[in-house]
Amino acid sequence: MYITNRKGSLFEVIIPKEWDGKTVDAILRNVWKLPKKMIHTWRMNQEVLVNNAKANWHLPLAQGMRLQVPFFAKTEQSVTATKMKIDILLEDDHMLVVNKPAAMKTHPNEEAETDTLLNAVAFHLQSAGEECDVRHVHRLDVGTSGVILFAKHPAAYAVLSRLLEERHIKRTYRAVVHGLLSRPSGTINKPIGKDRHHPTRKRVSPSGQTAITHYQVISSDPKRNVSLVQCQLDTGRTHQIRVHFSAIGHPLVGDRLYGGKPLVHRQALHAHAINIPHPFTGERIYCEAETPNDLIHLFEFHH
């Protein structure tokens, strides 16, 4: 855990023991791995401070010094803020984790759309007096519920996106699939590409992008011939879990696009948890989203 403070537009971190001797340049470039353009702008504008004075970028810093970086500079909100109730699981100066309802889109695809989760999060921040352009770090399909991570400032967006890509952020999903799986756990490693015959559907295709899903059977119900599985992804392809389980003959319940039966009004997929190594505080953040009511009865055989 680092000792940090927010001072107006500045994020202040007290240099911890493990950064002793590192320069400002090394922290921004090698520890946080911020975008070069961002670092360059701050440097040209002399916006980074050490102990309230303009930073010397190549001077080794000592434990206990205060590094002050302009993370919270005001930015224009790029989406319409819309008042809607949202379920916030965690919020700090850098990020929010929100539990998305199944029927809601993650973000608008055109300006006219103002009823997505991103619009609701923008309203939440605006009404708290925060002038920032919030962005989603990843997305969930319409029809999938659960945890979504949002970044409140450009540095957080850059670092969290990289951590997700490098698989340091772990997301756990739960799905109810048709059939009883022959193995208690396994890995589905099948590339996913477009389906030429359908505008929105994806399919397993040798020329597609690498896609890897690890799963574990939590429980199964032979009477209803369904299984509850927990999944972790090494890749984040569109519809990945849905395509993969359909490809091994166990489509998701309710997922009519990929062969599931409509026992519920949507695909039975819930982003259950997220585990984040917090880039700016040194904490490990873990959030879980409760299973929504429409899936509870499908999960009932799980004790």
Side-chain angles (χ1 to χ4, degrees):
M1 284 270 303
Y2 308 137
I3 301 165
T4 65
N5 302 294
R6 180 173 182 167
K7 296 192 164 176
S9 67
L10 294 174
F11 170 65
E12 177 181 271
V13 57
I14 310 296
I15 299 296
K17 196 165 125 207
E18 61 266 36
W19 293 2
D20 192 88
K22 288 190 190 297
T23 62
V24 168
D25 192 61
I27 291 166
L28 302 191
R29 200 182 295 271
N30 306 332
V31 177
W32 289 334
K33 299 181 185 164
L34 291 169
K36 289 189 175 97
K37 196 175 165 191
M38 187 181 282
I39 296 172
H40 179 73
T41 304
W42 290 346
R43 194 170 184 160
M44 289 297 103
N45 299 343
Q46 300 189 319
E47 290 176 276
V48 177
L49 310 179
V50 171
N51 294 346
N52 298 323
K54 281 174 190 169
N56 176 333
W57 284 58
H58 296 293
L59 205 64
L61 300 172
Q63 184 181 351
M65 281 182 166
R66 288 170 300 143
L67 172 63
Q68 295 143 333
V69 194
F71 278 178
F72 311 118
K74 288 176 184 174
T75 45
E76 283 291 297
Q77 184 67 59
S78 59
V79 296
T80 309
T82 308
K83 186 174 183 178
M84 289 185 278
K85 203 166 160 270
I86 50 172
D87 179 11
I88 295 170
L89 304 174
L90 170 131
E91 179 176 8
D92 68 10
D93 290 333
H94 311 279
M95 62 169 93
L96 293 111
V97 179
V98 185
N99 182 9
K100 181 181 96 65
M104 197 182 254
K105 276 186 165 183
T106 300
H107 59 87
N109 290 326
E110 50 210 50
E111 238 172 282
E113 285 183 89
T114 57
D115 57 353
T116 73
L117 188 58
L118 188 61
N119 301 103
V121 170
F123 181 86
H124 163 76
L125 292 173
Q126 198 180 67
S127 54
E130 294 205 45
E131 295 181 60
C132 61
D133 186 20
V134 66
R135 295 175 73 181
H136 57 284
V137 176
H138 57 97
R139 53 184 286 282
L140 293 175
D141 301 334
V142 176
T144 300
S145 52
V147 290
I148 295 194
L149 174 61
F150 291 86
K152 284 191 182 184
H153 56 80
Y157 179 74
V159 178
L160 292 168
S161 299
R162 175 180 57 76
L163 291 173
L164 186 75
E165 205 176 301
E166 292 173 355
R167 308 208 286 268
H168 295 302
I169 292 175
K170 302 278 185 215
R171 288 184 287 158
T172 306
Y173 294 82
R174 287 192 170 169
V176 180
V177 302
H178 288 291
L180 308 177
L181 285 90
S182 53
R183 293 164 56 198
S185 63
T187 296
I188 307 168
N189 184 347
K190 293 176 185 290
I192 292 175
K194 285 189 173 133
D195 185 331
R196 287 199 309 277
H197 309 293
H198 196 286
T200 52
R201 200 165 50 202
K202 306 288 176 200
R203 65 187 191 93
V204 164
S205 143
S207 60
Q209 295 176 290
T210 305
I212 299 168
T213 304
H214 305 285
Y215 72 86
Q216 195 177 350
V217 178
I218 297 178
S219 56
S220 47
D221 181 348
K223 270 216 299 273
R224 287 193 290 177
N225 196 31
V226 292
S227 303
L228 172 62
V229 292
Q230 186 153 297
C231 311
Q232 275 204 333
L233 311 185
D234 280 359
T235 48
R237 307 291 169 223
T238 302
H239 298 179
Q240 179 170 324
I241 292 172
R242 300 164 64 187
V243 174
H244 270 171
F245 280 95
S246 177
I248 63 164
H250 296 282
L252 269 61
V253 169
D255 190 1
R256 284 188 267 191
L257 187 60
Y258 294 106
K261 295 190 185 79
L263 307 181
V264 276
H265 296 302
R266 59 159 172 128
Q267 62 265 15
L269 182 59
H270 178 63
H272 168 67
I274 192 164
N275 196 323
I276 309 160
H278 198 305
F280 306 120
T281 66
E283 298 166 87
R284 245 269 164 221
I285 306 280
Y286 179 78
C287 291
E288 250 177 44
E290 273 184 31
T291 304
N293 292 336
D294 65 337
L295 294 189
I296 290 277
H297 75 282
L298 283 176
F299 285 31
E300 269 170 1
F301 55 88
H302 166 49
H303 297 295

